[in-house]
Structures are given as C-alpha cells and as structure tokens.
Amino acid sequence: MFSKEEAQKIKKEFWTEFATAYPRKWLLYDTKIKDFSFKFYVDNKKAQVTLDIESKDDEKRKIYYEKIESLRSILHDEFLPDAILERNFYLETGKIISKIWIEKTGISLFNKASWPETFDFFNETMDAFERFFYEYEDYIRDLEINT
C-alpha cells in the first residue's frame, strides 16, 4: 500500500510519462458541448476511456445519449467494437450521467510495467473516440433534430 503522498507522486509521474509518450492535445473537455466530455481514467485494477454526458438537464442528457445510441452500430463497426453504452450510469455521489466507455482490466496505475500497455490503450481508444466524434459532430451537436 502507498501513502497518500506516494500515490499522488506516482499519479503525477504516470500522467507526465503518458504526455511524453503521446505528446498531443486531446479533445477531452473541448467538445463545445456543455457537460459532454471525454476522459481518461486509471486506478489499481483498470483503465477506461469514457465519454461522459453529465447535463443537469435530463432532457438534454437523454437527447445526446440517444444520438450516440442511434450511431451504435457505426461506433461498434468502425471505431470501438467493445464500447459499452449506458443511459443511466450512477456515480458514487448518486448523480446519474450517461456514459459510453471502453475498459481494459488487468493493469494498474501502481505497476509501472503496465504503463506502456495503458498508454497504448489510452492513445488508440481516445483517438478512435475522437475520430468518431469529429465524423458525427454536426449530428451530435444539433439538438433541434429530436426536440
């Protein structure tokens, strides 16, 4: 087990090495859609690349999720075959969001030997997510289609 300070140091080193291995600007929060963002996540058991739809307006969250869901076959066939889509994902806080994600298990933030595999997973998966988003961005953004 690591102390809080040691864990923070390892996390910082992990993200610094990832940025060095893949020096590019990721889309992440810069989607120009409020509360619609891509995220990297890693802990001591798994890594995830996620698209989180966190709108406080349930109707907007539903519309954005349904737009992604309507593209499910394209997402799976052309970009991310293992993507998981969940309309109502409950965060530990109890907040409900919509979430689309890919997960890789058997790796750990605290095992430096697994970092290259994690970095590759992050790079390949986020790149596919971004390509999907840019390809269908106009459709996803347009809230007037289904309202």
Side-chain angles (χ1 to χ4, degrees):
M1 203 68 184
F2 297 97
S3 71
K4 189 174 184 177
E5 293 78 21
E6 290 171 321
Q8 286 177 327
K9 183 180 176 204
I10 291 168
K11 286 179 185 178
K12 183 177 180 182
E13 185 180 346
F14 174 89
W15 292 112
T16 301
E17 285 198 27
F18 174 61
T20 302
Y22 292 99
R24 61 170 280 199
K25 182 169 173 24
W26 300 98
L27 180 61
L28 303 177
Y29 294 92
D30 199 21
T31 63
K32 309 288 191 266
I33 301 173
K34 185 171 172 48
D35 301 317
F36 186 103
S37 56
F38 294 93
K39 298 177 181 176
F40 293 112
Y41 175 82
V42 63
D43 63 19
N44 64 342
K45 296 179 182 170
K46 66 184 176 297
Q48 295 177 337
V49 176
T50 70
L51 167 56
D52 292 353
I53 306 167
E54 302 180 76
S55 180
K56 291 173 185 74
D57 179 334
D58 280 344
E59 190 60 29
K60 279 187 180 180
R61 182 175 59 84
K62 177 184 166 208
I63 291 168
Y64 284 130
Y65 177 81
E66 288 177 353
K67 286 175 172 281
I68 302 296
E69 190 174 50
S70 73
L71 299 168
R72 178 192 298 257
S73 63
I74 294 168
L75 178 65
H76 283 158
D77 293 346
E78 298 179 26
F79 297 94
L80 298 162
D82 298 323
I84 300 164
L85 288 80
E86 193 162 338
R87 177 187 305 270
N88 296 311
F89 184 89
Y90 291 83
L91 299 175
E92 290 178 5
T93 61
K95 181 180 178 181
I96 301 171
I97 68 170
S98 295
K99 183 175 184 131
I100 296 87
W101 79 96
I102 306 292
E103 181 171 282
K104 183 168 190 64
T105 57
I107 55 174
S108 174
L109 170 66
F110 302 107
N111 176 1
K112 289 185 181 186
S114 72
W115 287 10
E117 183 180 0
T118 306
F119 296 164
D120 290 345
F121 166 74
F122 277 169
N123 179 61
E124 292 165 14
T125 307
M126 186 61 82
D127 183 69
F129 251 137
E130 288 182 346
R131 286 184 289 113
F132 168 77
F133 178 76
Y134 287 132
E135 182 75 24
Y136 297 97
E137 180 177 8
D138 292 340
Y139 170 70
I140 294 168
R141 277 183 199 283
D142 185 5
L143 283 181
E144 302 306 313
I145 292 175
N146 291 329
T147 57

